[in-house]
Amino acid sequence: MSISSAIWCSMMMTMMKRKGSLYEQKFFSEALEHGLEVFVPLGDYLPQDCLVMNSAGKIFKIQIKGTESKSKDKARGGLGRYMVTTSSGSTGKESIDCTKVDILVAYVEDEDIFYNIPCMELDGAKRIGLYPHNPESKAKHEQFKDNWKIFRVT
């Protein structure tokens, strides 16, 4: 790898980390506005980005991911979709371990919307497509758009 490639890779990683931190902070703020308590661990080595507790004391383990722009979806007439990488790990990407994460929070920056998806609904997927811009979408994960009621479970 050349020096310029190494510098570019380092800059991209920094930018991605910064975006991830922004998505996390937006979620923390939104969760607090929905009456939830948010607990954030020190460091970023755990499979959860935070724990959320509802008013009944139930705790949820949360992994936060996000995306900023739409990609064209040729299979759907070029309408486009937001792709979110749901896998984890810096080397070999692996599906999220649902024994360690209860809910995947996917933030779509362009639409300023959260999807609160139960981990088991990911079915081991490493990437998912979201369609917040399409009210007619019947895609699997659309039912979890702006799904704050998931945290009301006791």
Side-chain angles (χ1 to χ4, degrees):
M1 181 182 292
S2 70
I3 292 176
S4 60
S5 294
I7 291 170
W8 184 84
C9 286
S10 175
M11 288 173 37
M12 289 302 294
M13 288 300 293
T14 299
M15 187 176 78
M16 289 170 52
K17 283 284 222 186
R18 176 171 265 163
K19 282 285 188 186
S21 293
L22 177 64
Y23 300 152
E24 290 171 4
Q25 296 301 316
K26 283 185 165 287
F27 173 75
F28 301 158
S29 176
E30 191 76 14
L32 289 168
E33 287 185 23
H34 279 87
L36 302 166
E37 300 300 331
V38 179
F39 302 89
V40 182
L42 294 175
D44 62 354
Y45 57 91
L46 295 173
Q48 312 87 12
D49 291 315
C50 68
L51 302 176
V52 168
M53 185 172 67
N54 67 14
S55 60
K58 169 100 171 121
I59 295 175
F60 301 88
K61 299 172 284 192
I62 309 296
Q63 174 63 237
I64 303 166
K65 302 286 188 176
T67 186
E68 62 182 322
S69 57
K70 204 172 1 178
S71 61
K72 294 294 179 197
D73 186 358
K74 293 176 186 169
R76 289 175 168 67
L79 179 62
R81 62 182 166 180
Y82 292 90
M83 295 304 296
V84 176
T85 300
T86 59
S87 57
S88 60
S90 57
T91 51
K93 294 288 187 182
E94 296 182 20
S95 300
I96 291 176
D97 181 347
C98 292
T99 65
K100 297 177 180 165
V101 173
D102 300 317
I103 298 171
L104 170 78
V105 171
Y107 179 67
V108 180
E109 185 176 349
D110 279 356
E111 305 287 332
D112 192 28
I113 192 87
F114 288 96
Y115 286 73
N116 299 317
I117 306 169
C119 188
M120 297 303 286
E121 292 290 334
L122 297 173
D123 296 325
K126 294 180 181 180
R127 293 184 77 195
I128 59 172
L130 302 173
Y131 302 85
H133 56 293
N134 180 2
E136 306 299 316
S137 176
K138 303 282 189 254
K140 177 179 181 176
H141 299 104
E142 291 308 300
Q143 64 184 312
F144 304 111
K145 179 170 56 178
D146 208 25
N147 179 28
W148 293 94
K149 66 183 181 290
I150 194 170
F151 296 108
R152 291 188 197 138
V153 179
T154 55

